[in-house]
């Protein structure tokens, strides 16, 4: 490709450049000369060294780079423009847009993988930031705007759908009426700090390993539906405010942590799947839906979080999930108790755990009852017959006595056909404890069957 001097070409009244290598000498370029027309347009160009464009203040002016390669750094500084477009980027190093007032910014790579950094800082963007199909495989994309200066936020849009980022950071950004991140993919981390959202859509986003929403306000519909990365994604929502109804339906995360956050309207977590969840000082003013939520590692969750979910499910009169989370709460409480300091509560919950898994399994309760009865009756039988010689024919006496042992209100000797009381104190002790354990097992089994009853 031919190498040209950009300043010389512009002075010769040229504003479009195709298939050339640009030698850009910023020190000799007076950006506000009258010979500049309404745009600079670069197509299929390669910029070998750093590019600096600053103090270009023309409201109707556009700078467009299409299918270009930047071997050095590109800096747009202190400019007032209509449009800045970097489309179908092929290669970048560092792109910095700072202290500018722009109507529109368009950045994309047509899904071409890029390595490098893009930063939009201390700018006012009045109408749109369009970053669709932008793929930064390695590097950072940072946006720090002061969009509260915009007169009409309803006309402002941010679109990032179908883009991929290694690291994505938004801070001090006032999003307009509509922002769309649908089908975006984050490889490493994303951070939204001190941002204001109106209608915002994060549907089908693959969040990175760590994603943070800190000190953000969501003033309209917010959707996190069908976001799926159960293996890696850790979502943290800290010190945020949701004034309208958000949706987390049918999404899956490794962990979801919400702290010091207020939901002023209803919030939906229906069909959410997480490995762990933490809710700390979260206010649901109009309630929350947790229908069919699935927590894979409930043992790693704290009791306060489980209790919060249980209370919201109870408000929604969801009897099935309420019983499930009541049992989860007992399991987490059991884990917190200490045998030495909380022996009574710990022992009661331990019996519930080994008998029915905190009310989750009637079959386990049946097995517990049969085995416990067999153990105590065997001890009882041995104690009553230890002076007698062993006779295999006694198995009929053992079997009939074993089944009679299940009659918890029968206090007669189960080895006798007549109503005969026991005389051996040790036999009485084994007999009474066995009856108590059998009664406990039968009660827990009945409770397991009644788990869906009011």
């Amino acid at each position: 490709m031919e190498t040209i001097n950009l300043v010389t070409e512009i002075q010769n009244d040229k504003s479009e450049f195709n298939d050339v290598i640009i030698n850009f000498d910023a020190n000799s370029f007076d950006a506000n000369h009258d010979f500049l027309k309404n745009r600079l347009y670069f197509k299929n160009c390669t910029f070998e060294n750093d590019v600096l464009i600053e103090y270009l203040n023309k409201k109707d002016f556009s700078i467009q780079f299409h299918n270009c390669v930047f071997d050095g750094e590109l800096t747009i500084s202190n400019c007032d423009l209509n449009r800045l477009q970097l489309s179908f980027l092929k290669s970048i190093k560092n792109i910095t847009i700072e202290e500018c007032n722009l109507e529109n910014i368009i950045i994309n790579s047509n899904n071409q993988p890029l390595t490098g950094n893009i930063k939009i800082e201390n700018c006012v963007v009045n109408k749109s930031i369009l970053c669709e199909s932008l793929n930064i495989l390695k590097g950072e994309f940072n946006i720090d705007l002061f969009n509260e200066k915009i007169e009409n936020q309803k006309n402002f849009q941010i679109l990032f759908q179908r883009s991929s980022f290694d690291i994505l950071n938004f801070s001090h950004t006032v999003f307009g009426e509509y922002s769309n991140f649908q089908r975006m993919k984050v490889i490493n981390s994303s951070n939204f700090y001190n941002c204001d959202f109106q209608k915002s859509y994060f549907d089908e986003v693959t969040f990175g390993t760590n994603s943070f929403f800190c000190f953000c306000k969501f003033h309209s519909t917010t959707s996190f539906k069908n976001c799926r990365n159960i293996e890696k994604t850790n979502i943290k929502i800290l010190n945020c405010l949701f004034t309208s109804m958000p949706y987390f339906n049918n999404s899956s995360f490794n962990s979801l942590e919400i702290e010091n956050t207020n939901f002023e309207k209803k919030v939906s977590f229906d069909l959410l799947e997480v490995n762990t969840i933490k809710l700390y000082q979260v206010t649901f003013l109009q309630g929350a839906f947790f229908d069919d939520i699935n927590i894979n590692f409930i043992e790693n969750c704290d009791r306060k979080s489980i209790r919060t979910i249980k209370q919201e499910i109870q408000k929604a009169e969801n009897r099935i999930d309420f019983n499930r989370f009541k049992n989860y709460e007992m399991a987490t409480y059991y884990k917190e108790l200490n045998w030495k300091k909380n022996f009574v509560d710990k022992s009661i919950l331990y019996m519930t755990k080994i008998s029915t898994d905190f009310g989750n399994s009637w079959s386990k309760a049946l097995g517990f009852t049969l085995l416990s009865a067999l153990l105590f009756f065997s001890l009882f039988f041995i104690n009553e017959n230890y002076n007698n010689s062993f006779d295999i024919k006694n198995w009929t006496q053992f079997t009939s006595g074993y089944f009679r042992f299940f009659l918890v209100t029968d206090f007669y000797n189960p080895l006798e056909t007549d109503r005969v009381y026991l005389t051996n104190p040790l036999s009485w002790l084994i007999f009474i404890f066995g009856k108590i354990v059998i009664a406990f097992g039968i009660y827990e089994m009945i409770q397991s069957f009644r788990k869906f009853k009011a």
Side-chain angles (χ1 to χ4, degrees):
M1 288 192 294
E2 177 188 2
T3 301
I4 65 169
N5 183 286
L6 180 62
V7 175
T8 302
E9 295 295 323
I10 291 177
Q11 288 174 341
N12 291 329
D13 202 29
K14 189 172 182 180
S15 61
E16 295 189 13
F17 304 89
N18 295 287
D19 301 296
V20 294
I21 299 174
I22 306 290
N23 185 338
F24 190 93
D25 185 0
N27 294 324
S28 64
F29 178 36
D30 185 350
N32 290 298
H33 264 315
D34 291 337
F35 52 72
L36 278 175
K37 296 181 180 180
N38 288 334
R39 73 168 184 166
L40 280 173
Y41 181 77
F42 304 92
K43 182 177 180 181
N44 304 326
C45 296
T46 298
F47 294 85
E48 289 187 326
N49 49 7
D50 293 346
V51 177
L52 172 63
I53 300 175
E54 57 182 350
Y55 302 109
L56 177 55
N57 298 309
K58 293 190 174 185
K59 281 285 189 182
D60 59 347
F61 196 84
S62 297
I63 300 178
Q64 297 171 256
F65 301 91
H66 183 77
N67 205 41
C68 292
V69 173
F70 293 91
D71 293 331
E73 298 188 3
L74 169 63
T75 303
I76 313 291
S77 177
N78 291 281
C79 293
D80 191 350
L81 304 171
N82 177 49
R83 172 184 288 189
L84 175 62
Q85 177 174 325
L86 297 104
S87 53
F88 285 62
L89 286 168
K90 294 177 68 177
S91 178
I92 65 171
K93 184 177 181 181
N94 288 306
I95 296 176
T96 302
I97 305 166
E98 59 184 5
E99 305 290 344
C100 292
N101 191 326
L102 305 166
E103 293 297 305
N104 303 282
I105 295 179
I106 300 173
I107 306 175
N108 65 67
S109 66
N110 194 32
N111 290 319
Q112 167 73 26
L114 301 175
T115 299
N117 304 308
I118 298 177
K119 180 170 64 176
I120 304 173
E121 186 175 36
N122 297 334
C123 292
V124 174
V125 183
N126 294 290
K127 290 187 177 180
S128 65
I129 299 177
L130 308 180
C131 295
E132 303 169 87
S133 302
L134 175 62
N135 185 357
I136 299 181
L137 188 63
K138 186 175 182 180
E140 295 188 22
F141 192 107
N142 297 302
I143 294 184
D144 188 342
L145 299 182
F146 287 97
N147 276 25
E148 67 271 12
K149 299 177 183 179
I150 296 177
E151 293 181 2
N152 187 0
Q153 285 288 343
K154 290 186 176 180
N155 295 326
F156 179 62
Q157 295 183 346
I158 290 184
L159 305 181
F160 273 72
Q161 65 261 42
R162 297 184 301 277
S163 291
S164 300
F165 300 96
D166 180 21
I167 299 173
L168 176 66
N169 296 315
F170 276 88
S171 57
H172 306 102
T173 299
V174 178
F175 290 78
E177 184 182 27
Y178 180 80
S179 53
N180 192 338
F181 297 87
Q182 291 178 326
R183 299 181 184 177
M184 182 180 72
K185 181 179 181 181
V186 179
I187 300 170
N188 192 347
S189 66
S190 60
N191 183 22
F192 293 82
Y193 177 80
N194 197 18
C195 295
D196 271 31
F197 294 86
Q198 297 298 323
K199 289 182 180 179
S200 52
Y201 298 91
F202 295 87
D203 298 339
E204 299 182 57
V205 170
T206 302
F207 287 100
T209 304
N210 295 297
S211 293
F212 299 90
F213 292 84
C214 305
F215 296 99
C216 294
K217 296 179 180 179
F218 300 83
H219 299 290
S220 187
T221 301
T222 305
S223 180
F224 291 88
K225 294 179 180 179
N226 300 302
C227 300
R228 298 191 168 275
N229 193 348
I230 190 69
E231 294 83 10
K232 294 183 178 180
T233 295
N234 304 305
I235 300 284
K236 291 188 178 182
I237 301 175
L238 310 175
N239 300 97
C240 292
L241 172 65
F242 292 81
T243 62
S244 187
M245 186 170 181
Y247 301 87
F248 294 84
N249 298 353
N250 205 36
S251 290
S252 58
F253 307 118
N254 177 50
S255 72
L256 175 62
E257 183 176 336
I258 306 177
E259 294 188 14
N260 302 306
T261 294
N262 290 336
F263 294 90
E264 294 186 353
K265 299 289 180 65
K266 289 185 181 294
V267 54
S268 179
F269 297 93
D270 289 357
L271 295 171
L272 174 69
E273 181 184 10
V274 292
N275 287 331
T276 60
I277 189 169
K278 181 179 180 180
L279 303 174
Y280 179 73
Q281 294 185 348
V282 179
T283 302
F284 299 109
L285 291 180
Q286 294 189 9
F289 299 109
F290 287 95
D291 291 353
D292 299 313
I293 182 174
N294 184 25
I295 304 175
N296 295 324
F297 301 110
I298 195 73
E299 66 276 7
N300 295 332
C301 299
D302 63 271
R303 182 163 52 97
K304 291 181 180 179
S305 299
I306 301 303
R307 181 189 298 163
T308 299
I309 296 173
K310 183 197 73 174
Q311 290 171 343
E312 295 303 320
I313 289 174
Q314 185 178 24
K315 292 176 186 177
E317 298 184 356
N318 180 346
R319 172 58 57 180
I320 295 175
D321 288 330
F322 170 76
N323 281 284
R324 185 160 58 98
F325 275 87
K326 183 176 68 174
N327 297 332
Y328 290 158
E329 185 182 11
M330 286 195 294
T332 54
Y333 183 49
Y334 169 78
K335 188 177 179 182
E336 293 174 5
L337 293 177
N338 182 281
W339 275 109
K340 183 179 291 188
K341 295 180 180 180
N342 313 100
F343 177 78
V344 175
D345 288 350
K346 184 85 170 179
S347 59
I348 293 172
L349 288 174
Y350 175 75
M351 291 299 295
T352 305
K353 173 181 170 64
I354 64 172
S355 61
T356 61
D357 193 21
F358 301 105
N360 290 316
S361 175
W362 68 266
S363 58
K364 188 172 183 179
L366 177 61
F368 170 83
T369 305
L370 294 175
L371 291 175
S372 298
L374 179 62
L375 172 63
F376 279 97
F377 184 74
S378 297
L379 293 174
F380 171 80
F381 185 85
I382 293 171
N383 190 67
E384 285 289 300
N385 294 279
Y386 72 94
N387 287 326
N388 301 325
S389 59
F390 177 77
D391 188 350
I392 193 68
K393 296 179 181 179
N394 287 338
W395 73 270
T396 56
Q397 184 188 27
F398 180 90
T399 304
S400 62
Y402 172 66
F403 286 108
R404 185 177 171 184
F405 196 53
F406 281 99
L407 300 175
V408 293
T409 59
D410 183 357
F411 290 94
Y412 297 106
N413 189 339
L415 300 178
E416 301 288 344
T417 56
D418 297 327
R419 294 188 172 188
V420 178
Y421 285 107
L422 298 169
T423 57
N424 188 326
L426 182 57
S427 294
W428 266 115
L429 184 65
I430 298 172
F431 184 83
I432 294 299
F433 271 102
K435 293 284 187 177
I436 292 173
V437 173
I438 291 171
F440 176 79
I442 293 173
Y443 172 79
E444 288 294 321
M445 183 166 56
I446 293 172
Q447 287 298 103
S448 297
F449 276 114
R450 286 173 51 84
K451 64 189 290 187
F452 301 123
K453 300 294 184 180

